[in-house]
Amino acid sequence: MQRLTITTKIWLSIGIFVLGFILSTILVQVQGVRREQVLRATSTELFPEAQDSQDAEASFLLSIHAFHDAVVMQDASGLGRAAQEGRHAAQDLQAIASIPGLARERTAKVRELNNTIESFLLDAQSTYQTVVVSPTYLSAKTQGRVRSLAARTDSIERGLQAVKDQFSSDLHEQLSAVEFQSVRQRWGALLVFGITLIIAAYMVNLTIHRAVMDPILRINAELTQAKERAEEANRAKGDFVANMSHEIRTPMNGVIGMTELALETDLTIEQRRYLTVVKSSAGALLTVINDVLDFSKIEAGKLDLEEIDFSLRDCVSETLGVLGIRADEKKIELAYDVDAKLPDVLSGDPGRLRQIIMNLAGNAIKFTERGEVVVRAFEESREPGRITLHCTVRDTGIGIREDKQASIFQAFTQADGTTTRRFGGTGLGLTISRQLVEMMGGRIWLESVVGKGSTFHFVVPFGLGPSAGQMPDAFDSKLQGVAVLVVDDNFTTRTILEEMLRRWGMMPVVASGSAAAMRALAQERFELILLDIRMPEMDGFELCEKIRHNPETADSTIMMLSSAARPQDAIRCRELGVAAYLTKPINPKQLRIAISSIFGGKGDAGRVASEPQQLGAGRRLRILLAEDNVVNQEIAATLLTKRGHSVVVAKDGEQALSTLDKEVFDLVLMDVQMPVMDGLEASIAIRKRELNTGRHIPIIAMTAHAMKGDREKCLEAGMDGYISKPISVKALMQAIETVSPGGAQLETISATANANALPLVNRQALMLQVGDDLDLLRTIVSLFKAEVPGNLAAIRAAIESNNVESLSNLAHSLKGMLGNFSSPAANQAALRLETMAQERDFSHAREAYQELEGVIEQLTPELAVLAEAGETMQVVHGSH
């Protein structure tokens, strides 16, 4: 045999196999009829018993699994289905017991098992119904019943197995007897067939195991080891990222927090400039840290996506508004256009959409020296309940070589390594954007020409929000047919503004500069003129002066558009009689409100200054701060104390529990990672104690971790809120207002009482706000006196029409305007109205409006006095 080739061996084995098969088949056919008769009789007698016993066991096991799934999924209806499956097992046992000729002992045993199963099903359905209704808390009695059911389950399974084994054994014995009777007749066939199989198996073993299976088994073993090593490395990476997040954010919290506290004190101009640079640099460092951590979280699979309703237009506007100053510093145009056909309310993760746009637009600004950066959003496709959004970010920057475009989305990669030193950056922004887009189920790509610019595209699917069918541009009869002159040297901005105004029913004419504008004014009279401030040859202010000096156009209504809000621009606007002053990129909602304010007395004009949030000005709370880091203790305690709250510090969770035993608090700020007892353990202990007292104290988690599942762990431990470090003043105050006791009652507190409790004007803070610039103070006071009547009228109209969005925007805008005057009382009154709008509760809106109106009536003359007596106030302030 060894001299035979593999081919010959195979053919020989095939021949032997065929010959043996033929012989065995002939012998089997000879005895086939007799065996068939015997087997038919055996099957008729024993097979139903064996089959029913197997079916009973399978049905019971399916019932047990169905009960388990219903409990896990908290599906009460699933319990009924599980019980029904179990009754099938009982029915199979009843069928066995009714078979004629079955031994009495076996019949009794089958019936006893049937009764046991029926009793079990009743108890199981009742017990697991209790578990489904209250999964988070099980009484000791219920737990005992569950354990009893588990023991009974094992007992029933053993009984079913025994019954099945008995009937299977009977069937096997009978069949063995049949086989024994026919073994002599079939011996020759089986022998031949067995020899054939042995030879074939031997051939296969030589061919397959030596040539194929051995390498495959070896490779599988190596792959298994590699998989285990990769999983271990991934776990280590996740732990490293979590620890690094904590270790980096904790000292950053100290740097940023202490800098913010220092900036709130009396400083010289030089000191304030230094600290502002420190804060800006710390923010830039935190951005880099967040990029690295985001990248690590995505790589480790520890980043989750939200699914919430959000306003697409607000998301894009707020994101690009942050970048407006950077664009203005580089003297490039930043614009955006959201297609009017797109619904405003989408469902998805607005934070990650904002991050993608921020990364792409920020890169575009970074690599563009002149020209423009334009962001557009439009519909790619739509299906029931879903829409695919297509966004583009186009710039006129340096462009990307074609051979580098494939690698631009790789980590730590830039199109040209030399740009890293020139432009800075980690090279992670585009990588993170790509990974986020892919996580959201979309794709991203780019088109670029070196020296002409780049266009980044990404498409992402979103759900349609509850108001998806409503278009944001509602009809306004007061804007129909209004002639508007748009003067802007940037073609894209002119086009966007022209299309926007036409959608509102207005009649725009565009001009690319001062000469074209003057020609248009000579030919036609315009009710409204929109002027860009920064234009070549003649800027917007010079053109505005020229228009004012022309008798035929002197009374024209003019609005100014600027890439950044500057105090000196506001003063010039006031001097030239400009009706409103908006910053780019133009927010369509703000522009429409401003125009409506001019032509219809509704809405709010453009804001000149920023909108500081006066949070935490409501109820004064007694707060327990559990924090082990001394720097973090100082920052949080100082921030809270400055806002009128009383703070007691505990250095770990155990001390926090001890303090809660002795004193009463309104709120607990709990660091998650502390020695002795961490924040999660402490929170669980607090909630257990509250089961006896019936009291619930709000707990807000403060953590330097930023990993997937951290927020969920905090909420599972019984915490009510969650903020990450470094601590943001705004985020902290908002979290406190959200969960603090009496938060829902803030809207019923008398604003008059608040006015009495809070100072009307903080004079020292006001002078710091305007930089001791008396001319600026007089200017913004005059603007306030001119704008506030229209604002109040618009708020009153929004309340009368129950317009939630309008009231929220108007109250927020007025709050920002009042924030310029360091008036806590007025700001609190406006905040109350804004909160009502956000919560869609108008029950006390009219009362709140009257109180706001009363506070502003007191504030207006006070501001007038301060503006006129500014010199005296400045002297007093300087003495401090």
Side-chain angles (χ1 to χ4, degrees):
M1 287 289 291
Q2 294 180 353
R3 297 180 180 180
L4 298 178
T5 64
I6 293 177
T7 303
T8 304
K9 290 179 181 179
I10 293 175
W11 280 111
L12 181 60
S13 63
I14 292 174
I16 294 172
F17 179 82
V18 171
L19 179 61
F21 180 77
I22 293 173
L23 292 176
S24 62
T25 300
I26 293 173
L27 292 174
V28 168
Q29 289 296 327
V30 171
Q31 301 296 326
V33 175
R34 183 180 176 183
R35 285 201 306 275
E36 182 179 356
Q37 292 173 350
V38 175
L39 288 173
R40 183 180 295 113
T42 302
S43 299
T44 301
E45 180 180 355
L46 297 175
F47 184 79
E49 300 173 354
Q51 184 63 46
D52 287 341
S53 65
Q54 291 182 357
D55 291 344
E57 182 184 33
S59 296
F60 182 76
L61 292 176
L62 286 175
S63 174
I64 296 302
H65 289 308
F67 274 121
H68 176 269
D69 292 341
V71 171
V72 172
M73 300 301 293
Q74 299 183 25
D75 181 10
S77 63
L79 297 176
R81 293 192 295 272
Q84 184 62 33
E85 192 65 42
R87 293 189 185 97
H88 291 164
Q91 292 172 0
D92 292 331
L93 292 177
Q94 291 172 3
I96 295 174
S98 63
I99 294 176
L102 189 66
R104 290 184 178 181
E105 296 82 8
R106 292 193 180 179
T107 301
K109 186 173 183 180
V110 168
R111 287 176 177 170
E112 178 183 1
L113 186 59
N114 174 59
N115 295 335
T116 302
I117 290 177
E118 291 180 345
S119 173
F120 170 83
L121 292 175
L122 293 175
D123 292 344
Q125 189 169 9
S126 172
T127 301
Y128 289 138
Q129 182 69 34
T130 302
V131 175
V132 169
V133 171
S134 180
T136 58
Y137 176 74
L138 298 179
S139 65
K141 180 179 179 181
T142 301
Q143 293 178 6
R145 291 172 63 186
V146 170
R147 287 191 291 270
S148 174
L149 287 174
R152 291 167 66 185
T153 299
D154 294 338
S155 175
I156 292 172
E157 287 180 356
R158 289 193 298 271
L160 288 171
Q161 182 67 39
V163 169
K164 185 187 73 171
D165 290 345
Q166 287 174 356
F167 288 117
S168 297
S169 176
D170 291 345
L171 181 60
H172 178 72
E173 289 174 3
Q174 186 66 26
L175 292 175
S176 297
V178 173
E179 283 294 319
F180 181 76
Q181 293 174 3
S182 61
V183 69
R184 293 179 180 179
Q185 291 81 9
R186 293 184 293 113
W187 179 255
L190 292 174
L191 182 61
V192 173
F193 196 72
I195 294 173
T196 303
L197 290 178
I198 291 172
I199 295 173
Y202 178 74
M203 295 283 192
V204 170
N205 181 66
L206 288 178
T207 305
I208 296 178
H209 279 275
R210 294 183 181 179
V212 179
M213 290 303 298
D214 287 347
I216 291 177
L217 293 174
R218 186 173 61 255
I219 292 172
N220 284 341
E222 293 174 353
L223 288 175
T224 300
Q225 294 177 359
K227 177 176 176 291
E228 292 174 352
R229 289 195 298 269
E231 290 175 348
E232 181 63 29
N234 195 43
R235 285 192 294 269
K237 182 178 180 180
D239 294 340
F240 173 76
V241 171
N243 292 332
M244 285 300 296
S245 173
H246 181 271
E247 295 301 325
I248 293 174
R249 288 174 181 270
T250 297
M252 284 301 297
N253 181 52
V255 173
I256 295 176
M258 286 299 185
T259 304
E260 288 182 346
L261 291 176
L263 286 170
E264 292 181 3
T265 62
D266 291 337
L267 300 169
T268 65
I269 295 176
E270 187 177 24
Q271 290 170 336
R272 185 169 296 277
R273 184 172 71 251
Y274 291 161
L275 287 175
T276 301
V277 172
V278 171
K279 182 180 178 182
S280 174
S281 300
L285 177 58
L286 188 60
T287 299
V288 174
I289 293 170
N290 287 336
D291 277 350
V292 175
L293 291 176
D294 275 348
F295 176 73
S296 300
K297 286 188 287 184
I298 294 172
E299 289 290 300
K302 295 181 176 291
L303 188 141
D304 274 339
L305 297 175
E306 288 186 311
E307 186 73 22
I308 60 175
D309 293 337
F310 68 97
S311 168
L312 171 64
R313 287 166 177 80
D314 287 349
C315 178
V316 176
S317 173
E318 292 168 4
T319 303
L320 297 180
V322 175
L323 298 172
I325 296 176
R326 287 173 53 188
D328 180 67
E329 290 173 349
K330 299 190 70 173
K331 293 182 171 52
I332 60 177
E333 191 81 7
L334 176 62
Y336 73 91
D337 181 27
V338 178
D339 191 348
K341 297 179 182 178
L342 277 174
D344 189 50
V345 180
L346 301 181
S347 179
D349 193 328
R352 298 307 173 185
L353 176 61
R354 186 180 293 111
Q355 186 175 2
I356 295 167
I357 296 175
M358 179 75 77
N359 282 341
L360 297 180
N363 268 358
I365 293 172
K366 182 196 300 185
F367 295 106
T368 300
E369 295 298 329
R370 64 179 64 85
E372 63 185 18
V373 173
V374 181
V375 178
R376 295 185 185 274
F378 51 91
E379 180 180 319
E380 175 79 4
S381 62
R382 187 183 300 214
E383 57 187 37
R386 303 287 293 175
I387 187 171
T388 299
L389 182 69
H390 187 158
C391 293
T392 64
V393 180
R394 179 179 59 82
D395 64 64
T396 56
I398 60 177
I400 302 170
R401 298 204 319 263
E402 187 174 355
D403 61 324
K404 295 292 184 179
Q405 292 180 15
S407 62
I408 197 68
F409 293 106
Q410 295 178 5
F412 308 106
T413 300
Q414 291 187 336
D416 184 353
T418 60
T419 62
T420 304
R421 293 182 179 273
R422 180 182 174 192
F423 295 101
T426 61
L428 284 177
L430 290 178
T431 303
I432 293 172
S433 297
R434 174 184 60 81
Q435 292 172 327
L436 289 176
V437 167
E438 291 174 353
M439 286 180 65
M440 297 167 76
R443 62 189 182 94
I444 186 171
W445 71 97
L446 77 151
E447 301 166 352
S448 183
V449 177
V450 175
K452 293 186 178 181
S454 305
T455 301
F456 284 82
H457 300 255
F458 70 90
V459 291
V460 177
F462 288 99
L464 293 173
S467 304
Q470 301 177 8
M471 292 298 103
D473 295 333
F475 176 81
D476 189 342
S477 60
K478 298 179 179 63
L479 302 184
Q480 304 305 302
V482 174
V484 186
L485 175 62
V486 179
V487 186
D488 197 307
D489 62 305
N490 184 271
F491 173 78
T492 302
T493 301
R494 290 198 309 271
T495 303
I496 292 174
L497 286 172
E498 182 180 15
E499 294 175 355
M500 189 186 305
L501 297 171
R502 287 193 190 281
R503 286 199 303 268
W504 299 343
M506 306 179 79
M507 300 175 62
V509 174
V510 296
S512 60
S514 56
M518 295 308 296
R519 286 195 299 270
L521 288 168
Q523 298 171 4
E524 183 180 350
R525 180 172 179 80
F526 296 94
E527 298 175 70
L528 176 65
I529 302 174
L530 301 181
L531 295 182
D532 183 25
I533 289 181
R534 192 181 63 222
M535 294 188 293
E537 299 180 2
M538 181 184 296
D539 66 24
F541 288 125
E542 293 173 319
L543 180 56
C544 184
E545 288 180 351
K546 196 170 183 179
I547 294 172
R548 291 297 188 218
H549 291 156
N550 187 338
E552 301 203 1
T553 58
D555 59 346
S556 300
T557 300
I558 300 176
M559 296 177 63
M560 302 296 282
L561 310 177
S562 174
S563 297
R566 304 179 185 86
Q568 60 269 29
D569 290 346
I571 297 173
R572 288 291 304 277
C573 288
R574 179 60 181 169
E575 293 172 349
L576 294 171
V578 172
Y581 169 52
L582 300 177
T583 57
K584 294 181 179 181
I586 298 300
N587 184 327
K589 185 185 297 184
Q590 292 180 354
L591 177 62
R592 182 159 181 166
I593 290 174
I595 296 176
S596 297
S597 174
I598 294 170
F599 288 98
K602 292 184 179 182
D604 182 23
R607 295 187 297 274
V608 172
S610 60
E611 300 179 355
Q613 297 286 338
Q614 300 294 334
L615 297 171
R619 179 180 172 187
R620 304 306 185 235
L621 304 176
R622 181 168 171 76
I623 298 175
L624 174 62
L625 172 63
E627 169 65 67
D628 63 307
N629 185 279
V630 178
V631 175
N632 292 342
Q633 290 176 0
E634 179 69 20
I635 293 170
T638 303
L639 289 174
L640 295 169
T641 303
K642 282 192 171 185
R643 284 152 181 82
H645 302 299
S646 174
V647 181
V648 174
V649 177
K651 65 181 180 181
D652 55 57
E654 188 175 274
Q655 192 177 98
L657 292 177
S658 176
T659 305
L660 284 170
D661 287 337
K662 303 173 185 175
E663 303 180 52
V664 177
F665 295 91
D666 300 306
L667 180 75
V668 177
L669 291 177
M670 185 78 72
D671 184 24
V672 172
Q673 186 169 346
M674 294 184 291
V676 185
M677 178 185 287
D678 65 29
L680 298 177
E681 294 179 87
S683 298
I684 293 172
I686 292 172
R687 295 303 182 225
K688 285 183 179 179
R689 294 182 180 184
E690 290 175 348
L691 294 176
N692 298 323
T693 64
R695 182 174 180 267
H696 181 89
I697 182 171
I699 304 175
I700 298 176
M702 300 189 303
T703 176
H705 288 289
M707 301 300 296
K708 172 182 176 181
D710 288 338
R711 181 177 181 275
E712 288 72 17
K713 290 178 182 176
C714 294
L715 297 181
E716 288 173 3
M719 298 183 176
D720 302 276
Y722 173 97
I723 58 174
S724 61
K725 298 177 182 177
I727 296 173
S728 161
V729 178
K730 179 179 177 181
L732 177 60
M733 295 302 118
Q734 285 179 336
I736 290 175
E737 288 188 355
T738 301
V739 306
S740 61
Q745 288 76 28
L746 286 176
E747 62 187 36
T748 62
I749 298 174
S750 170
T752 305
N754 285 341
N756 293 332
L758 298 172
L760 191 59
V761 178
N762 185 331
R763 300 190 177 196
Q764 183 175 354
L766 176 58
M767 291 308 295
L768 286 173
Q769 185 91 355
V770 299
D772 290 329
D773 189 333
L774 299 179
D775 290 334
L776 176 58
L777 175 60
R778 295 190 187 97
T779 298
I780 62 175
V781 168
S782 299
L783 286 172
F784 173 75
K785 291 168 66 178
E787 300 287 351
V788 77
N791 295 346
L792 291 174
I795 290 175
R796 185 169 60 251
I799 293 174
E800 294 298 329
S801 61
N802 287 336
N803 191 326
V804 173
E805 183 177 359
S806 178
L807 178 59
S808 178
N809 291 334
L810 293 167
H812 181 76
S813 178
L814 180 59
K815 176 166 64 82
M817 185 185 299
L818 293 168
N820 295 319
F821 300 109
S822 301
S823 175
N827 193 274
Q828 176 65 21
L831 175 62
R832 182 184 176 206
L833 263 179
E834 182 184 8
T835 303
M836 289 180 179
Q838 293 172 347
E839 296 177 354
R840 298 178 179 272
D841 185 357
F842 279 67
S843 57
H844 300 280
R846 288 179 176 82
E847 174 191 349
Y849 170 77
Q850 293 173 357
E851 292 163 347
L852 171 65
E853 192 175 40
V855 173
I856 290 179
E857 285 179 359
Q858 300 176 43
L859 176 64
T860 304
E862 178 77 7
L863 291 175
V865 171
L866 292 177
E868 295 303 323
E871 291 84 353
T872 304
M873 185 166 59
Q874 186 181 34
V875 171
V876 173
H877 172 65
S879 66
H880 293 281

